[in-house]
């Protein structure tokens, strides 16, 4: 399969933030996966291209999950948090992204 070329400006806006949590650390250790908060309109091929371009690693697969915003109360008013999308990026064996060293 031929890799599709994406606009570099578009790829820069796809990955919003890495998700660093207990669950994320456990998944990273056990399955060589990294979790990112991504743009709501991002597609799997775009996410793969963005991660490979930014971190110079090889991506095996990408799974995405849409996270619904929670309903929250503020006094007597109810509001809703924004929905967002997260991506589980599976790296090829031997590949690693270290966020602590890059800051």
């Amino acid at each position: 399969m031929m890799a599709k070329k994406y606009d570099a400006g578009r790829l820069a806006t796809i990955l919003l933030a890495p998700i660093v949590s207990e669950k994320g650390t456990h998944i990273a250790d056990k399955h060589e996966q990294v979790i990112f908060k991504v743009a709501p309109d991002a597609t799997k091929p775009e996410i793969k291209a963005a991660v490979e371009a930014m971190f110079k690693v090889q991506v095996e697969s990408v799974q995405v999950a849409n996270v619904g915003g929670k309903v929250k109360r503020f006094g007597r008013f109810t509001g809703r948090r924004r929905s967002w999308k997260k991506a589980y990026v599976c790296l090829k064996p031997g590949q690693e992204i270290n966020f602590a060293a890059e800051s």
Side-chain angles (χ1 to χ4, degrees), residues 20-102:
V20 181
S21 62
E22 281 190 37
K23 181 180 178 182
T25 308
H26 177 71
I27 287 173
D29 292 342
K30 197 167 184 186
H31 302 290
E32 278 107 29
Q33 285 186 326
V34 186
I35 308 172
F36 289 99
K37 185 173 185 176
V38 295
D41 59 343
T43 62
K44 286 183 181 184
E46 284 179 329
I47 294 167
K48 178 178 178 177
V51 172
E52 287 180 347
M54 281 188 156
F55 298 103
K56 309 289 188 276
V57 293
Q58 293 169 328
V59 174
E60 194 168 285
S61 63
V62 176
Q63 291 88 33
V64 294
N66 285 307
V67 181
K70 293 181 178 180
V71 174
K72 291 288 184 176
R73 288 191 46 188
F74 189 77
R76 65 181 191 195
F77 304 105
T78 60
R80 188 173 179 89
R81 286 190 181 164
R82 184 175 289 143
S83 296
W84 55 286
K85 187 184 247 187
K86 69 178 166 181
Y88 293 84
V89 178
C90 186
L91 303 176
K92 289 192 174 168
Q95 302 285 313
E96 186 181 8
I97 296 176
N98 189 354
F99 296 113
E102 293 176 16

